[in-house]
Structure formats: C-alpha cells, structure tokens
Amino acid sequence: MKIEVWSDFVCPFCYIGKARLEEALSQFTHRYSVKIEFKSFELDPNSPPYSGKSIHESLASKYGMSIEQAMQMNQNVGQQAAAVGLTFNFDNMKPTNTFNAHRLAKYAKTQGEEAVITEKLLYAYFTESRNLGDIETLADIAEASGLDREEALKVLQDEKAFANDVRIDQAVAQQYQITGVPFFIVNQKYSISGAQPTSTFTGALQKVWEEENPAPVFQDLSTVSAEDSSCVDGNCMIPDKKE
C-alpha cells in the first residue's frame, strides 16, 4: 500500500495529520506493508524569509484579525497537537519561506532519509522554533538526520539543486486540484483531505487493505457433505453408507 502525503513544514495541521496517520499505522496489522512518500507543497510560495515578526502577527495580518484572535486560534491548534503528543511553541515560531527546506527534503530522499528529515524539519519549526529559512540551520538539521552536513550545505547553496523535484510535486498537486494540506492519496485511488481523526485513517487503511487483499473464496469440490462424516478416537472418516 502506498500513501502519498502533500504537506508543508510550517503547516500545523500537516504535523498533526502526520501524527494521526502514524497513530493509525501503529494499530494496523499490516503496517510494514505500507509505504509513505512525502510530496512538496508550499502554503505560500511568496512568503518572505523570517523577518522577526511573530506567527501571531503574521496570521493577524494575513487574515485581518486581531493579535488576540490569532493567539486564541493558535492556542486551539496547540491543544489539538498536544492530544497527539506534539508540542507547539507558537510564541517563538519563526514564519518563513520553506522552498529550501523542501529542496533539502528531496535531497534527503535520494539518501534514504526522507522520513527522518521530514519529522526533524517539522519538529525543528513547531517545537524548537528554529528558522527553516536559514541554510546553516537546515544543514544542521540535515546532519542530525544522518546526512553529510557539507554535502547538504552544497545542495542548499545551489538554488537549482532539487528545485525541479519540488516544482513537479507542486504541479501534480495542481493537476489533482489540491488547494490545501495535508492531503493524502492512497494507492492512487482514495484521497483524505486535512488532519482527519485517527479513526478515519484507521478505517481507510483497513478498507484499502481488504480491497487489495480480498479473503479467498473457495469452490467446494467435496463429494460427501460434512454432515455425513464422523470422527472416532481422533480419526475422521467417511462412514459406510447404509443400503
């Protein structure tokens, strides 16, 4: 089973949705047969580098609300995060452009570390309040993910490196008419939009597995019915038919 996940590293519900999917997988009998592939999606491709403005101020400006309303909204999101074991440090988050972070994730994929760096980047932004727009910070995260820091830094310093890989994911998202994340596609057949409850992911996993691996239906070729057999002293046999 293959699950493709479109997400952004500064999207709180992407982290929550990922945690809920992982919770569902931990309860799924066939979890080791599930492959997860992460896809790039920028919530705001035109977002500037971190300017020193808080996430509360950024949201208030973006949605035309007061700072207090933005803080309340973030508090509500933080409570949802806490319910799945995540800690969101909204007061110190550094909103920034994530294109370089996505390029780094694509490089990590070539090194077999896509899942690790995806978690590290999300944790760095939401919990550690690190600046994902700073390439030195990204190189540190790469190293913590098991990658060679100098090689990762070279990738980050080359603005064209893995840029096309990111753009391809975004183009596919447009083809699928994905306008918000997280967005999950299972086996290129089913989609799940948003950070749905864990039970939704659990049901989807089971449904797809049963569909792809149906229980065998046997054709009965028996010539004597089960009712006509008998077992004596542990030996089962077909009794003689009375004339």
Side-chain angles (χ1 to χ4, degrees):
M1 187 187 306
K2 181 179 180 180
I3 303 177
E4 297 167 284
V5 186
W6 272 263
S7 62
D8 196 3
F9 299 114
V10 295
C11 164
F13 287 105
C14 290
Y15 203 3
I16 294 171
K18 175 177 177 293
R20 288 175 177 170
L21 171 61
E22 290 170 348
E23 186 176 31
L25 282 169
S26 71
Q27 304 166 11
F28 185 52
T29 304
H30 310 286
R31 57 186 173 277
Y32 298 113
S33 298
V34 179
K35 177 184 178 182
I36 298 179
E37 185 174 303
F38 293 96
K39 302 289 188 179
S40 299
F41 190 101
E42 293 175 273
L43 283 175
D44 184 2
N46 299 314
S47 177
Y50 175 57
S51 64
K53 183 182 293 186
S54 74
I55 188 66
H56 305 305
E57 292 172 316
S58 295
L59 289 176
S61 175
K62 182 176 181 179
Y63 296 111
M65 62 176 67
S66 68
I67 297 292
E68 290 72 22
Q69 287 174 316
M71 292 178 70
Q72 181 61 54
M73 183 173 70
N74 286 331
Q75 183 179 355
N76 293 338
V77 174
Q79 290 172 351
Q80 293 185 55
V84 287
L86 303 177
T87 300
F88 283 8
N89 185 10
F90 281 107
D91 289 341
N92 297 308
M93 282 181 193
K94 298 175 175 60
T96 187
N97 188 284
T98 57
F99 188 66
N100 285 333
H102 283 292
R103 290 199 301 115
L104 178 61
K106 290 304 180 187
Y107 164 66
K109 182 179 180 180
T110 67
Q111 306 300 305
E113 301 293 350
E114 179 186 41
V116 174
I117 204 163
T118 296
E119 175 63 28
K120 292 283 188 184
L121 288 165
L122 287 164
Y123 184 82
Y125 179 77
F126 286 102
T127 303
E128 298 179 325
S129 301
R130 300 175 76 179
N131 182 4
L132 298 191
D134 177 67
I135 64 172
E136 292 291 339
T137 298
L138 289 174
D140 290 342
I141 295 171
E143 185 176 29
S145 302
L147 300 173
D148 183 278
R149 189 183 191 283
E150 292 306 312
E151 288 300 316
L153 192 56
K154 287 179 182 178
V155 168
L156 291 164
Q157 290 171 335
D158 180 358
E159 295 181 357
K160 294 183 179 180
F162 296 94
N164 193 50
D165 299 75
V166 176
R167 297 304 186 205
I168 288 174
D169 282 357
Q170 295 173 334
V172 173
Q174 288 183 338
Q175 292 175 0
Y176 289 159
Q177 298 183 339
I178 298 173
T179 57
V181 287
F183 195 90
F184 308 81
I185 293 182
V186 186
N187 279 5
Q188 288 288 303
K189 186 173 182 180
Y190 297 101
S191 67
I192 300 172
S193 178
Q196 296 290 324
T198 299
S199 59
T200 298
F201 290 109
T202 301
L205 290 168
Q206 193 61 39
K207 174 181 176 62
V208 175
W209 180 265
E210 291 175 355
E211 182 177 281
E212 299 291 330
N213 302 273
V217 178
F218 298 109
Q219 181 180 358
D220 189 359
L221 301 179
S222 304
T223 57
V224 178
S225 68
E227 292 76 12
D228 291 331
S229 65
S230 64
C231 293
V232 179
D233 295 330
N235 295 312
C236 295
M237 63 196 74
I238 305 298
D240 294 333
K241 291 285 188 180
K242 293 181 179 181
E243 294 295 336

